[in-house]
Amino acid sequence: MTRKGEIVGGLLAPHPPHIVYSENHWRNEPKSECGWEVLRWGYERARKHFLAKKPDVLLVHSPHWQTVIGHHFLGVPEFHGLSVDPIFPNLFRFKYDIKVDVELAEMIAEEGRQDGLITKLMRNPNYRVDYGTIVSCHMINPEWDIPIVGISSNNSPYYFSNEMGQAQMIKLGQATKRAIEKSGRRAILLASNTLSHRHFTTEPEIPEDMSREHVYEHSGYLWDMKVIDLMRTGKTRELISVLPEFMDHAVSEVKAGGLAWMLSALDFPDYPGELFGYWTVIGTGNAVVGWDPQLKAAATTQGAMA
Ligand SMILES: [Fe+2]
């Protein structure tokens, strides 16, 4: 009999291409001098903590794979190609080789279907994987030696309402949890979302010139601090209830649903999320935050609750 699977970690894992650019990894063609260190060091600490759990699979929900009808899943064992960011082709031209846990993807799709969601597998081997999926996975596991399950973001919050979109994501999170338990996998979930999302529209001559990087607007920053506080104090049900407002007031990327999906799969943690790092990228707010269901406490002393 297969052992019962479990979610061994959940991370808010934002995906600005700038942080892969400033890592200077061989897979990414453009090279930088440095940049956005606080976020990259945060990812480094998160990676150390969560990869030590030896996960079998990383699941990632990305805002940059938008599907109008239903929730789609990468459904081919391997994808290879070059991912170019449409807005920042000067920063992100990334050669990817991705292994997919197709069996688990199929199980989540089936669980979702049984609960009334429309689900579908992406079976096109030439499909170009989006940069949101790639950046979050790369920052957590730059070795790319763990298979992933890639999940699209259904468009319902954009053409219907924030609340309808979030309700879909809560169902999808529960379907994801049930499928992981049946699969026997040890899984880590990545919610590939930025927080406040108003941003600059011009780029400095040197993109990694950190003298130009700062919060875009105070109101967005205040919202970020509010939602981070709810994360760090384990108030995720309250967090979920304010997210629709956050989406409207700070044009937050959590609108695409990744954070709600993940918190639902984790059964809305009442233990603290560990803040590994917060910084802006072209003015947008980005936080790396991890929930450890085994530890049920902040992962390190840094950033722990008073
Ligand atoms: Fe994005």
Side-chain angles (χ1 to χ4, degrees), residues 6-11 46-47 49-60 140 146-147 149 180 185-190 261-262 291:
E6 62 181 324
I7 298 172
V8 295
L11 283 134
R47 191 186 303 153
H49 179 83
F50 285 101
L51 288 187
K53 294 172 172 293
K54 305 274 181 235
D56 302 309
V57 60
L58 306 175
L59 290 82
V60 55
I140 285 299
I146 302 170
V149 170
I180 289 169
R185 310 287 201 275
R186 290 168 60 79
I188 287 180
L189 311 186
L190 307 176
W261 160 77
M262 182 182 73
W291 283 265

Side-chain angles (χ1 to χ4, degrees), residues 14-17 62-64 131-132 192-194 197 253:
H15 57 248
S62 173
H64 298 291
Y131 77 91
S192 183
N193 286 165
T194 293
H197 207 283
E253 207 182 27

Side-chain angles (χ1 to χ4, degrees), residues 9-12 45 49-50 227-236 239 259 262-263 266 268-277 287-293 295-306:
L11 283 134
L12 176 59
R45 290 174 51 235
H49 179 83
F50 285 101
V227 297
I228 285 173
D229 185 58
L230 293 173
M231 293 177 195
R232 294 181 69 212
T233 49
K235 294 180 184 158
T236 60
L239 174 62
L259 182 59
M262 182 182 73
L263 293 176
L266 289 168
F268 302 102
D270 55 6
Y271 49 89
E274 169 82 357
L275 177 73
F276 289 100
V288 181
V289 183
W291 283 265
D292 184 335
L295 196 62
K296 289 200 186 315
T300 71
T301 52
Q302 187 180 337
M305 287 164 62

Side-chain angles (χ1 to χ4, degrees), residues 22-264:
S22 49
E23 288 274 289
N24 282 319
H25 193 272
W26 64 267
R27 287 186 179 276
N28 194 39
E29 203 182 293
K31 297 298 169 220
S32 70
E33 294 175 295
C34 54
W36 299 279
E37 278 73 16
V38 178
L39 264 183
R40 295 196 288 116
W41 294 334
Y43 258 118
E44 198 175 285
R45 290 174 51 235
R47 191 186 303 153
K48 259 185 207 163
H49 179 83
F50 285 101
L51 288 187
K53 294 172 172 293
K54 305 274 181 235
D56 302 309
V57 60
L58 306 175
L59 290 82
V60 55
H61 187 282
S62 173
H64 298 291
W65 179 17
Q66 291 214 355
T67 46
V68 175
I69 299 174
H71 309 268
H72 296 212
F73 302 81
L74 296 180
V76 177
E78 290 188 19
F79 288 93
H80 305 281
L82 183 72
S83 175
V84 179
D85 185 304
I87 314 289
F88 298 103
N90 56 328
L91 305 184
F92 192 82
R93 294 192 296 279
F94 188 94
K95 186 177 179 302
Y96 62 88
D97 300 287
I98 297 176
K99 288 190 174 27
V100 175
D101 185 339
V102 178
E103 188 183 55
L104 179 57
E106 287 169 347
M107 290 174 78
I108 302 170
E110 182 54 34
E111 287 289 335
R113 215 170 357 243
Q114 284 179 16
D115 204 17
L117 296 176
I118 297 170
T119 59
K120 189 172 181 178
L121 274 289
M122 164 52 77
R123 303 288 196 187
N124 176 0
N126 300 316
Y127 174 68
R128 196 179 60 187
V129 179
D130 71 284
Y131 77 91
T133 297
I134 291 173
V135 171
S136 297
C137 290
H138 179 81
M139 294 305 289
I140 285 299
N141 181 34
E143 295 298 317
W144 288 95
D145 55 356
I146 302 170
I148 74 164
V149 170
I151 309 175
S152 77
S153 55
N154 175 253
N155 236 338
S156 51
Y158 299 91
Y159 65 75
F160 200 87
S161 73
N162 292 348
E163 288 74 11
M164 157 70 97
Q166 190 152 293
Q168 288 257 323
M169 291 304 154
I170 288 169
K171 266 192 180 185
L172 184 67
Q174 287 294 304
T176 302
K177 180 193 153 190
R178 289 195 302 274
I180 289 169
E181 287 176 352
K182 287 181 185 170
S183 75
R185 310 287 201 275
R186 290 168 60 79
I188 287 180
L189 311 186
L190 307 176
S192 183
N193 286 165
T194 293
L195 297 179
S196 63
H197 207 283
R198 289 201 173 88
H199 54 77
F200 308 127
T201 52
T202 56
E203 190 174 49
E205 198 177 323
I206 302 168
E208 61 269 37
D209 178 353
M210 290 293 101
S211 70
R212 302 280 297 274
E213 186 61 73
H214 58 87
V215 168
Y216 180 85
E217 60 178 356
H218 185 55
S219 61
Y221 173 72
L222 287 180
W223 260 109
D224 287 352
M225 293 307 108
K226 180 181 171 67
V227 297
I228 285 173
D229 185 58
L230 293 173
M231 293 177 195
R232 294 181 69 212
T233 49
K235 294 180 184 158
T236 60
R237 287 199 184 270
E238 193 177 334
L239 174 62
I240 280 287
S241 71
V242 301
L243 285 186
E245 207 183 334
F246 180 40
M247 294 164 195
D248 286 342
H249 290 186
V251 286
S252 174
E253 207 182 27
V254 299
K255 186 175 179 116
L259 182 59
W261 160 77
M262 182 182 73
L263 293 176
S264 167

